[in-house]
Amino acid sequence: MMRSIVCFFVGVIVLFSGTTTNADLIYNSFEGLNQTTNSFTTTGSTPRNYMADEMSTLALADPANLDWLVDNLGIRLFVSGSGVAGQNVVYNDVTMRVRVYNDWDGSALPAGTSVFSDQVSDVIWNLGTVTNNSATGGAQAFTFSLDYLSNGLQFRLDDGQNMGIAVELLVGGVADQRLALLLRNLVGDPGFPAIGTSPNGWYRDSDADGIIETSDRRIFAGTNSNAHFQINATAVPEPGMTVLALAMAAGMLIRRHRCA
């Protein structure tokens, strides 16, 4: 189902960790399947300020008549440090553009064609000031919980299967390679999401053309690697089903009135 999408800019400080709704957790790569230890890393190659991953959520009970209505999206970022013990790094005016797609095709051709299609959400989140205060000067992992519900930005996923999320990070409106999506990099089962599924690998816009294409696919050799995401959503009737139900209810009321 194709939808018209407008890019929103949300001028609020995003809450850290946790969720803001009672929706179901339908995808979770913050933790791994049969996890024995957590993994926080990212690619050492650049450019890496525009990255993406594909995934499949929990399956809907009735995908023909239901959609997932997304309330909250969790994202983890890799934030580089100063490399000097006790020296903070302050990133001002950080924005994170998050685009969500219904469909992913890992073999999309020709070159220059996005592997993602049917965009359902496009929001620029203002993260404000992000400070790496590592005592050792090393990188830190930051967790952001994006509240689509409270900001009136909920969106629908058709079924959550073979979908995609792309994240673009800017500092002061400029690409800064010191910030990137956080990645999992573990051997065996722990590399796979705890809830939902995702093939080994992720994407980075390696030619900086603004398009996530087949040639942008990357993996860590010998491991299972994915970006850190969480999706919280509620199963709701498709819009057409809701309209049909209302029409049927209206028809029943009219019929009762005529019979009275």
Side-chain angles (χ1 to χ4, degrees):
M1 183 188 305
M2 295 298 295
R3 298 178 173 87
S4 178
I5 299 298
V6 176
C7 178
F8 293 90
F9 186 94
V10 182
V12 296
I13 300 300
V14 183
L15 300 177
F16 286 83
S17 70
T19 60
T20 58
T21 75
N22 293 320
D24 295 325
L25 183 58
I26 64 171
Y27 182 79
N28 180 20
S29 59
F30 278 12
E31 288 81 36
L33 183 67
N34 301 324
Q35 178 177 307
T36 56
T37 182
N38 218 326
S39 174
F40 302 107
T41 189
T42 197
T43 173
S45 299
T46 58
R48 61 182 184 181
N49 69 297
Y50 184 24
M51 297 173 65
D53 202 359
E54 79 287 355
M55 69 285 294
S56 291
T57 67
L58 290 179
L60 284 160
D62 183 6
N65 297 309
L66 297 174
D67 289 341
W68 286 121
L69 182 64
V70 177
D71 292 345
N72 187 281
L73 180 60
I75 297 178
R76 279 180 174 159
L77 301 183
F78 178 98
V79 179
S80 300
S82 64
V84 179
Q87 181 176 311
N88 296 349
V89 179
V90 179
Y91 300 90
N92 293 309
D93 188 22
V94 179
T95 59
M96 176 166 60
R97 184 174 184 178
V98 181
R99 285 169 273 202
V100 184
Y101 302 86
N102 260 329
D103 300 313
W104 164 71
D105 178 4
S107 58
L109 294 173
T113 301
S114 175
V115 297
F116 301 122
S117 59
D118 192 5
Q119 182 175 289
V120 292
S121 179
D122 186 357
V123 180
I124 299 175
W125 297 88
N126 176 18
L127 307 185
T129 299
V130 176
T131 301
N132 180 317
N133 58 1
S134 170
T136 64
Q140 288 184 321
F142 281 72
T143 300
F144 294 92
S145 183
L146 309 180
D147 190 352
Y148 286 80
L149 174 61
S150 295
N151 286 289
L153 297 171
Q154 289 171 287
F155 60 90
R156 290 174 178 261
L157 296 171
D158 282 347
D159 59 9
Q161 306 305 295
N162 292 319
M163 58 167 288
I165 301 174
V167 176
E168 182 179 11
L169 297 161
L170 299 178
V171 178
V174 178
D176 191 322
Q177 309 308 325
R178 294 174 295 174
L179 277 64
L181 267 182
L182 197 68
L183 300 175
R184 303 185 57 78
N185 179 22
L186 294 172
V187 177
D189 283 347
F192 294 117
I195 299 175
T197 61
S198 181
N200 180 28
W202 75 95
Y203 293 89
R204 68 175 182 88
D205 185 15
S206 57
D207 55 2
D209 65 351
I211 301 172
I212 300 296
E213 52 197 308
T214 302
S215 59
D216 292 327
R217 182 78 173 169
R218 297 292 186 271
I219 62 171
F220 290 129
T223 66
N224 297 310
S225 50
N226 297 111
H228 285 248
F229 288 116
Q230 282 187 340
I231 304 173
N232 289 268
T234 303
V236 296
E238 287 191 343
M241 296 299 296
T242 302
V243 171
L244 177 60
L246 290 173
M248 291 176 64
M252 292 176 65
L253 288 173
I254 292 173
R255 182 177 179 184
R256 287 178 181 175
H257 178 73
R258 287 175 177 173
C259 292

